[in-house]
């Protein structure tokens, strides 16, 4: 009796372990984005002879819209067709410099140019490593700093900006001197100090500051090959005269095919090991097929809730998002919050005015108003903050405290710290940094 009971307990434990593994694998498939999913399936096709995969990413990859508030996102998308900074500089060296010991020294220093274009070796270190004289090392650095892009080969930000100003015929007259001698004061907006020292008008100092802001602090960053910010959308929303519809994109539906003929051929061999092997591989195919269907269904269900709840936004991009939490969608669909989280992270929805990550449609309520009894979303408050700053008198810009008061006038209660956090997230400078003298 005791032995039978022990066997029963052991069988139950093994079954529970198998269910856990299957659940973990299904969760893994749900949290994959389109590209990760395709790579996963391609790998499974290599491991499992009963699986073949058709890449269904017929729609082109498109740039992702990163921020619901700031529409200026195109400049963030890298151009992968560019050569690396190292290759670009190397080509210039070979085209403009003769094969001399000085060029060899330039090529040595080139190895110490980082991805932002800065020279990350000191003159003393270069002398020690190459046994060259100080004059030769300085000459080699000067040659690098004459290459394109302007500012390359600088040792720090100040020198980088100075090199760009020195080689720009359109730079304000005082820009080079101020960058060379009053860089810290300029950066810290001590304009009165600079104006008094140089007997300049504040407007002239501000003109120099505005010019410096047009320079490139990282001249090599344009050549740095980063991960592409192009994505394949999982869902597509279409607007037909006010009627919204949502569908799964072809990119999000890779076709997995079962090699039935090969499976039947293997079974005909009458070999127990082969039979067990192909049956196991068939079970794996069945699990993958079910998991893909479940993944598509779950993401689509979540997408439908988002489109229904944020209908005004999808009809007109300028409309505010309504406050929405993961638990709201979880309750509506009868799913766990973690499932909703996996369904929206790294998944994208394409609209006629941009592509957005699904999680960007969630936002907690900041404050309730008479016009919005359910509460305003963070996105809405950020838009108001942008509006206030856009309309402010630049000679007397609004402090965070004054923005808090303007929001309070509209029955929106937020703290000064919250306003500062939202302002910084929008890359908006403080009031003192926004002040103009013209």
């Amino acid at each position: 009796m005791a032995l039978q009971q022990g066997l029963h307990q052991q069988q139950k434990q093994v079954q529970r372990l198998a269910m856990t593994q299957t659940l973990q694998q299904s969760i893994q498939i749900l949290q994959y984005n389109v590209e990760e999913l395709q790579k996963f399936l391609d790998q499974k096709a290599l491991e499992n002879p009963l699986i073949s995969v058709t890449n269904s990413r017929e729609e082109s990859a498109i740039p992702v819209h990163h921020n619901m508030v700031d529409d200026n996102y195109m400049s963030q998308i890298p151009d992968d067709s560019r050569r690396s900074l190292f290759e670009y500089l190397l080509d210039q060296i070979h085209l403009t410099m003769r094969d001399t010991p000085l060029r060899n020294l330039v090529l040595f220093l080139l190895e110490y140019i980082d991805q932002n274009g800065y020279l990350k070796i000191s003159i003393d270190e270069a002398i020690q490593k190459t046994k060259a004289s100080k004059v030769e090392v300085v000459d080699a650095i000067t040659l690098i700093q004459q290459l394109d892009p302007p500012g390359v080969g600088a040792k720090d930000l100040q020198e980088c900006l100075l090199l760009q100003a020195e080689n720009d015929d359109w730079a304000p007259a005082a820009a080079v001197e101020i960058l060379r001698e009053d860089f810290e004061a300029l950066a810290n907006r001590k304009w009165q100090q600079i104006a008094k020292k140089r007997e300049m008008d504040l407007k002239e100092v501000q003109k120099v500051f505005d010019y410096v802001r047009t320079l490139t602090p990282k001249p090599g960053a344009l050549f740095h090959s980063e991960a592409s910010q192009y994505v394949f959308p999982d869902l597509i929303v279409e607007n037909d005269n006010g009627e919204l519809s949502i569908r799964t994109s072809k990119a999000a539906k890779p076709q997995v095919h079962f090699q039935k003929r090969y499976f039947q051929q293997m079974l005909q061999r009458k070999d127990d090991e082969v039979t067990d092997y192909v049956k196991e591989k068939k079970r794996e195919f069945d699990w993958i097929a079910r998991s893909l269907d479940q993944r598509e269904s779950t993401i689509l269900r979540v997408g439908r809730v988002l489109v229904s709840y944020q209908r005004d936004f999808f009809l007109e991009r300028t409309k505010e998002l309504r406050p929405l939490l993961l638990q709201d969608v979880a309750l509506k669909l009868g799913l766990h919050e973690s499932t909703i989280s996996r369904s929206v992270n790294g998944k994208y929805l394409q609209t006629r005015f941009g592509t957005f990550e699904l999680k960007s449609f969630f936002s907690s309520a900041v404050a309730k108003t008479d016009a919005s009894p359910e509460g305003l979303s963070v996105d809405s408050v950020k838009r108001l903050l942008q509006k206030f700053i856009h309309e402010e008198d630049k000679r007397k810009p609004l402090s965070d405290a004054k923005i808090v008061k303007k929001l309070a006038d509209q029955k929106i209660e937020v703290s000064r710290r919250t306003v500062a956090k939202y302002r910084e997230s929008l890359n908006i400078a403080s009031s003192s940094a926004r002040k103009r003298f013209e």
Side-chain angles (χ1 to χ4, degrees), residues 224-239:
H224 178 44
S225 178
E226 298 179 344
S228 174
Q229 296 184 33
Y230 284 76
V231 298
F232 293 94
D234 297 81
L235 302 172
I236 297 175
V237 172
E238 294 172 338
N239 181 356

Side-chain angles (χ1 to χ4, degrees), residues 30-33 234-235 298-299 301-303 306 324-326 329 333 337-349 356-362:
L30 177 59
Q31 64 190 19
Y32 283 145
N33 62 30
D234 297 81
L235 302 172
T298 302
I299 295 175
R301 289 176 67 200
V302 172
L306 293 179
L324 181 65
L325 302 177
L326 290 175
V329 178
L333 295 179
E337 279 186 50
S338 62
T339 300
I340 305 302
S341 178
R342 294 186 185 97
S343 301
V344 300
N345 284 318
K347 314 304 188 304
Y348 293 87
L349 183 150
F356 306 85
E357 190 171 5
L358 292 183
K359 69 178 182 181
S360 63
F361 293 100
F362 292 87

Side-chain angles (χ1 to χ4, degrees), residues 183-239:
F183 178 71
E184 291 296 331
L186 184 70
N188 294 322
R189 290 180 172 263
K190 296 180 179 179
W191 296 355
Q192 296 276 6
Q193 175 183 319
I194 297 173
K196 182 177 180 180
K197 174 183 176 180
R198 300 189 174 276
E199 298 181 350
M200 298 172 61
D201 189 90
L202 279 173
K203 291 182 180 179
E204 294 179 89
V205 180
Q206 181 175 279
K207 184 178 180 181
V208 171
F209 180 81
D210 290 343
Y211 166 75
V212 171
R213 291 183 65 185
T214 68
L215 302 179
T216 306
K218 297 178 181 179
L222 293 174
F223 297 84
H224 178 44
S225 178
E226 298 179 344
S228 174
Q229 296 184 33
Y230 284 76
V231 298
F232 293 94
D234 297 81
L235 302 172
I236 297 175
V237 172
E238 294 172 338
N239 181 356

